[in-house]
Amino acid sequence: MTASTTGGIAATTTEDGWLRIPELPQAQREAWVAEVVGELREAWGEAWDDRAELMVSTMLAETIGDRPDAHVVFEVWPFAVPARARVQISMLDAATVPDLQQLGFSLVPYDGAAAGPGLMLVRRSTEAAEDGEGVRLVDWGVLFDDGTHALLVQVDTLPLFFLQRILPGLHGLVVGLEATLPDGRPFRAVPSAHALADPDGEWSALRLRAEGLAGDDAGAR
């Protein structure tokens, strides 16, 4: 997928534990890490210990040093333990968005967002574990498309239980997401060309709701 020049993306978080990752020169990164460590130390209270001090500092140094090339990047730290999820938001050329169904994603209409009608993208997998049961993993996102530009919210692969924990914050972010085009006009999505007629679409929506991955209006047409 190819990045598209955009006038701007306005992203507002609605839950605690969301950390916006800036683009910083090398000289400013150490101070940023120290500041965020201090904020997390205060937020975790008695759950903070020497292990957290070491691991969180290391993880945040990796975060700022290896920030992905997306317009907006968040990390979500919902638990008082060294564990985070990464959320990326980018404006893309719509023509470069791949066939998502061919990549294994379930596509469910996503309604009620400021950016217009979108598609919720969900792909499941299982990673082998020592207990033999495996860990259920999910790729999750929302795509808005106006025919020329595409606004994509993408959550890096993470365990299902972790996604379920941060989902209220994800929906809060996505519903309020706004963007402007290079000429200054507001971005407004239309029903996506990737929303192909799918005889299993209603079943997919029901299954996602049962897993806590979609709201009650998902799949409504």
Side-chain angles (χ1 to χ4, degrees), residues 2-159:
T2 303
S4 173
T5 301
T6 179
I9 296 175
T12 303
T13 59
T14 60
E15 300 282 328
D16 294 335
W18 284 68
L19 173 65
R20 188 160 183 161
I21 309 303
E23 293 184 85
L24 293 177
Q26 181 70 41
Q28 298 178 22
R29 294 175 183 175
E30 185 174 344
W32 179 86
V33 169
E35 179 181 354
V36 176
V37 167
E39 293 173 356
L40 290 176
R41 184 189 298 116
E42 181 177 355
W44 291 11
E46 294 182 358
W48 191 269
D49 55 18
D50 291 343
R51 176 177 176 272
E53 184 79 28
L54 175 61
M55 292 191 66
V56 171
S57 298
T58 300
M59 292 166 71
L60 288 171
E62 293 172 350
T63 289
I64 198 66
D66 192 28
R67 183 190 185 278
D69 185 20
H71 290 101
V72 179
V73 180
F74 288 99
E75 277 194 351
V76 193
W77 295 70
F79 309 107
V81 296
R84 74 270 175 96
R86 185 161 62 185
V87 180
Q88 304 182 47
I89 308 172
S90 294
M91 185 73 83
L92 309 166
D93 290 336
T96 67
V97 176
D99 186 328
L100 297 164
Q101 288 178 316
Q102 194 171 58
L103 291 176
F105 285 93
S106 297
L107 309 181
V108 176
Y110 193 98
D111 299 318
L119 285 176
M120 184 174 64
L121 323 172
V122 180
R123 181 172 62 186
R124 305 169 191 76
S125 59
T126 301
E127 184 177 84
E130 292 182 0
D131 60 11
E133 294 187 5
V135 179
R136 298 174 68 192
L137 303 176
V138 185
D139 294 284
W140 190 97
V142 178
L143 177 71
F144 301 96
D145 187 338
D146 71 357
T148 302
H149 303 87
L151 183 63
L152 176 65
V153 180
Q154 173 187 350
V155 182
D156 289 7
T157 306
L158 76 173

